[in-house]
Amino acid sequence: MKLLPLALAPLVAVAALPAPLLAQASAPPTQPAPPEAQAAGPLEAAAEGVVAVLRQERPAADVFAPSFRAAVPDEQLAQLMQRLVAQFGALQGVEAVTATGPASATIALRFERAIGSGPMQIDAQGKVAGLLLNQFDPLDDGADRIVADLAALPGTTSLYYAPLGDGAEPIMAVNADTQMAIGSTFKLYVLSALARQVERGERAWDEVVRLDRRSLPSGIAQAWPEGAPVTIHTLATLMISISDNTATDQLVAVVGRDAIAAELRASGHAAPERTLPFLTTLELFGLKGDIEHGLAYARASEEEQERMLDAFATEIAGDPERIVKPTFTAPTAIDSLEWFASGRDLARLLDRIAALDDPTARAIMAVNPSMPDIRRADWRYAGYKGGSEPGVLNLTWLLQGDDGEWRILTLGWNDPAAPVETSALELIAQRVLSLGRDASGPASPAG
């Protein structure tokens, strides 16, 4: 999860690759490695050192460069290791070290139930300056084990992996009909409503609008000049690929709150009253910042909520500096002030996006597919949107195989008691994808 000014946690997609479990430190360029480091020896020694640190057999200072330890403190490294062990069993050792340069390699570490691999860099002293385990190939894994590990997480979790289309039988389903807070995954409803308007000729992707909305980060458009000319395509790409909140609120104004609500209903959402009236990101920030007002809003009827939003708009006049800014250090009313959908709701929405004759919306979703290259190669198409705030995480992919079949993989995690660990759910997503396109498994009783 990104750290934002004013401690504002993002209402955004998880914008990194799934399971970047050992963050890569941003180290300054180093001098070329000395001659003795240009053989495989220093790289292999560094990989063995990584294993020793992760097993708590050596101190991190002996193996990792100061720049890495500044980016990934020892405590965080230990927590990440605990999560890996919980899902994949004990770390057994180095599986392979494949040099990619004099001071870089792809390393593979063997756990009891997976091979974890990714790039590693060493500095001139042979210490690890960068490490990113971004691919996990499970050993002897299966749907039953994945479902059990998902159920063991605190709070409420959901998983829906299925072909799209009416009557499609899910491959894996856990709490697939449970309404979950989805964070910025709600922006897919905005994208779908916009695409429908383009399809009907009411809008055009190259239509230029003037930027007259502002929200809080995540994103970049909040810093752009007032009145800046931007195309609708640019706004939609920012909204989906980096979860730009200002771009989102601008598109909500362009498309119209009522049109987005109509798209939500048309998609077959099972509980539209949980999400409507359809909030902008700035409205949600404001409601969560002034929590007494926010909870009063949550208790009100939909008609009264609309009046409250009108009053809010008059009061702040679109200025983020005039709201009470939420701190988002802990889950805040995630069961009432949020956007909600079940796994099957999201499947019905993605089915509509997959059916669009114009591929533009799908191309926008594919800008950031949020999966390792080796997993991306398994699919003809991969698009992604996710969302998070403390206590809320959603990861949603639209996938198409070489046979043309469309699928959804969506995972959700809500915990009103504590922030959730992004890496834990990302690991489970990787495990599902690693089972292969022919994987099959049980639907849970709640599925």
Side-chain angles (χ1 to χ4, degrees):
M1 182 171 288
K2 299 176 184 176
L3 296 179
L4 300 173
L6 301 168
L8 291 174
L11 297 168
V12 300
V14 179
L17 288 174
L21 298 177
L22 300 183
Q24 185 169 1
S26 179
T30 62
Q31 295 298 315
E36 64 272 16
Q38 297 192 21
L43 291 168
E44 290 177 344
E48 293 289 351
V50 168
V51 169
V53 171
L54 294 179
R55 286 175 169 170
Q56 297 185 323
E57 296 169 354
R58 292 179 64 184
D62 286 357
V63 175
F64 290 96
S67 57
F68 184 96
R69 296 182 64 219
V72 187
D74 296 355
E75 182 180 355
Q76 182 181 351
L77 200 61
Q79 290 172 348
L80 291 170
M81 184 57 190
Q82 289 172 6
R83 180 56 62 189
L84 288 171
V85 169
Q87 293 218 32
F88 298 127
L91 175 57
Q92 297 178 336
V94 176
E95 177 75 8
V97 178
T98 305
T100 56
S104 62
T106 298
I107 70 169
L109 306 182
R110 177 175 282 271
F111 295 80
E112 284 182 309
R113 297 190 297 275
I115 303 294
S117 59
M120 178 186 74
Q121 298 84 38
I122 60 174
D123 64 13
Q125 287 71 47
K127 290 193 172 184
V128 176
L131 176 64
L132 180 66
L133 295 185
N134 61 1
Q135 178 183 327
F136 288 83
D137 296 297
L139 305 170
D140 191 29
D141 201 10
D144 289 341
R145 188 187 296 273
I146 291 171
V147 167
D149 289 347
L150 185 69
L153 298 174
T156 303
T157 54
S158 67
L159 186 158
Y160 192 63
Y161 182 39
L164 296 180
D166 292 340
E169 286 296 321
I171 300 163
M172 296 177 67
V174 177
N175 293 330
D177 294 307
T178 301
Q179 292 295 311
M180 304 282 289
I182 60 173
S184 279
T185 301
F186 87 87
K187 293 169 185 177
L188 289 174
Y189 285 101
V190 182
L191 179 67
S192 188
L194 171 61
R196 297 288 161 190
Q197 291 185 344
V198 172
E199 190 174 58
R200 294 192 296 267
E202 299 168 10
R203 298 284 176 193
W205 292 111
D206 60 358
E207 178 184 348
V208 175
V209 299
R210 298 283 177 175
L211 194 63
D212 62 2
R213 294 292 189 275
R214 287 285 185 275
S215 187
L216 300 171
S218 61
I220 58 174
Q222 72 277 356
W224 290 2
E226 179 77 15
V230 288
T231 67
I232 284 175
H233 189 286
T234 296
L235 292 171
T237 303
L238 289 172
M239 174 179 70
I240 300 299
S241 66
I242 64 170
S243 213
D244 191 298
N245 290 329
T246 291
T248 301
D249 287 4
Q250 186 70 60
L251 282 177
V252 172
V254 168
V255 175
R257 199 192 304 266
D258 290 344
I260 300 167
E263 177 64 14
L264 183 141
R265 290 191 175 98
S267 70
H269 195 293
E273 71 281 357
R274 294 291 305 274
T275 294
L276 302 180
F278 204 91
L279 296 171
T280 65
T281 66
L282 184 59
E283 288 166 344
L284 190 70
F285 280 128
L287 290 170
K288 294 211 175 196
D290 183 356
I291 192 59
E292 290 188 10
H293 182 225
L295 293 177
Y297 173 89
R299 292 190 296 268
S301 66
E302 185 172 335
E303 183 178 357
E304 179 60 26
Q305 287 175 335
E306 290 174 349
R307 286 196 291 268
M308 293 172 76
L309 292 179
D310 288 342
F312 176 82
T314 300
E315 179 183 348
I316 70 165
D319 183 359
E321 296 304 315
R322 297 176 67 172
I323 70 167
V324 178
K325 296 180 177 64
T327 58
F328 276 155
T329 56
T332 304
I334 67 169
D335 57 348
S336 57
L337 294 175
E338 247 284 351
W339 303 273
F340 296 91
S342 70
R344 282 196 173 89
D345 289 336
L346 291 171
R348 287 186 282 264
L349 174 65
L350 291 192
D351 195 29
R352 289 172 65 81
I353 294 175
L356 290 166
D357 291 333
D358 180 356
T360 304
R362 295 188 295 274
I364 288 169
M365 287 184 65
V367 170
N368 174 18
S370 200
M371 65 172 61
D373 290 343
I374 192 169
R375 297 287 164 252
R376 175 64 186 86
D378 291 338
W379 303 94
R380 177 189 296 177
Y381 169 90
Y384 172 81
K385 187 72 189 83
S388 67
E389 67 167 282
V392 174
L393 183 60
N394 177 270
L395 312 172
T396 294
W397 285 268
L398 173 63
L399 305 164
Q400 186 183 37
D402 291 336
D403 59 1
E405 180 187 65
W406 289 98
R407 288 188 182 184
I408 181 176
L409 172 59
T410 183
L411 299 96
W413 186 4
N414 290 177
D415 187 351
V420 299
E421 298 178 46
T422 301
S423 62
L425 204 63
E426 290 173 336
L427 271 173
I428 290 174
Q430 273 217 45
R431 290 167 63 190
V432 175
L433 291 170
S434 297
L435 291 178
R437 295 193 55 249
D438 296 327
S440 61
S444 75

